[in-house]
Amino acid sequence: EGSILPISLRAKYWQLHGCHITYFGTAALKKEIINDGRINNYDFIEFKADKIITSKINFMFEMLRRNILALGYINKIKNRYDLIHSISSQLNFIVFPYILKIFDRKIKWVTVFDNIVPLSDPGNKLLRFLAWVFFRISLFLLIRADTVFVISPDLRDFLLRHGFSKNKIVVTGNGIDVELMQQAKKVSKYKIDALFVGRINETKGIYDMLNVLEIIVKKYPDFMFAVMGLGDDESEKQFKDRIGQMRLTKNVRFLGYRKGLEKFNIIKSSRCFWFLSVSESESFGIALLEAVCLGLPALVYDLDPFKKIYKNNEVFMFKKHDYLAVAKKTLEIFSKKDFFNIEGIALLEKYGWDNIAKIELQYFLS
């Protein structure tokens, strides 16, 4: 399970080209697929997993527990399908297909490798270590996959350095919901000056954003910074505590998790986009790309993946942790009332999911 959007848009394309789709997951996933409504005429194999996830460490072990439960369905799946597609290479997505390959040697296993997990990122040291250990285990299991689709050349090079055969690795890029984004409209009720979309997590630069905000409100006391996304209970509490300590409560609005057209309307209605991730695991930044393609001026730190994606002034880049420069540029944007990113809009058609689905389908059939 995970975001239903990427797999639904690709599955729709695969169906149009003769593939029959069967999903395997929980009742929550089934409900999301129905609500999403992208595809019809599919099968669904459901297994029970009703525990509520409340923290990062709980998430890690709950996902492994679900993989263990899923093993009871091996006999229902083996020798019935030509291919199994795991939507991510995180450990919780690949334990089951790894073991399925043992029982069904004919099935082809393809997966998507979309990020690395370094030890050096900020945050809780124990959780960071556990995440790193799980990541290293996933790399070991991933060797059994027939094809690994990676979203960037950097990730391809990472896998090559870790012993993967170049014949197994295919660079596909990443995608956005072009069709839905083209329907997005500005909605005056939101009144958002700066927007961040993503996990409420220290690695995403959330505290640097507060430092920027603290500077901005000295000139614009009513400046509104909106956060669209969720974090674990501890991360959210620490973030809100810091907001209170900095006396910025009236300048920060929490939107929670939004999706679909509502999400894109909110992005399009905002004046600028802050994405100050400092993580070494940042590989693409889907939310950033969505904001850029919807025409927002976007301010980011100069991480290597962003340098390779945004080569024509589609974003403003700054050295990592140079929030003073980010604040200065934000003030300049508002002084000039220059809230339109024409270079960014030009990227929209380049990143449709159909482009990626077409590449993947070629390898399904090879």
Side-chain angles (χ1 to χ4, degrees), residues 209-251:
M209 293 181 216
L210 293 186
N211 290 333
V212 174
L213 181 61
E214 187 177 40
I215 295 169
I216 299 296
V217 297
K218 291 176 182 177
K219 182 170 183 178
Y220 298 103
D222 296 324
F223 192 95
M224 181 56 65
F225 171 47
V227 176
M228 187 193 302
L230 302 170
D232 62 86
D233 293 344
E234 181 181 356
S235 295
E236 286 197 22
K237 182 181 184 304
Q238 289 176 353
F239 187 48
K240 290 175 180 179
D241 286 347
R242 180 71 66 85
I243 291 169
Q245 292 164 8
M246 297 175 73
R247 298 181 179 179
L248 294 171
T249 303
K250 74 180 184 69
N251 300 101

Side-chain angles (χ1 to χ4, degrees), residues 186-192 224 253 255 258 262 265-266 269:
K186 291 187 177 181
V187 182
S188 59
K189 69 176 182 179
Y190 292 118
K191 297 180 180 177
I192 296 168
M224 181 56 65
R253 180 181 175 188
L255 301 174
R258 307 291 178 99
E262 181 190 27
N265 285 342
I266 292 172
S269 302

Side-chain angles (χ1 to χ4, degrees), residues 57-96:
I57 194 164
N58 176 249
F59 170 81
M60 292 179 184
F61 290 103
E62 172 60 15
M63 290 300 102
L64 289 179
R65 186 186 76 89
R66 292 186 183 188
N67 271 272
I68 293 170
L69 289 175
L71 298 182
Y73 293 78
I74 289 284
N75 288 332
K76 289 186 177 181
I77 294 175
K78 71 176 184 179
N79 303 320
R80 290 187 58 198
Y81 299 95
D82 299 309
L83 178 143
I84 183 168
H85 187 303
S86 43
I87 64 173
S88 170
S89 293
Q90 294 176 18
L91 185 59
N92 52 291
F93 288 105
I94 65 174
V95 171
F96 179 81

Side-chain angles (χ1 to χ4, degrees), residues 5 195 197 228 258-268 286-287 290 294:
L5 170 65
L195 176 68
V197 179
M228 187 193 302
R258 307 291 178 99
K259 61 182 179 179
L261 186 58
E262 181 190 27
K263 170 188 171 182
F264 295 135
N265 285 342
I266 292 172
I267 295 174
K268 194 174 182 70
I286 287 292
E290 290 170 341
L294 284 170

Side-chain angles (χ1 to χ4, degrees), residues 11 14-15 17-22 40-44 81 83:
W14 301 330
Q15 274 193 330
H17 291 80
C19 296
H20 181 78
I21 307 296
T22 299
N40 298 299
N41 302 319
Y42 58 87
D43 291 328
F44 195 96
Y81 299 95
L83 178 143

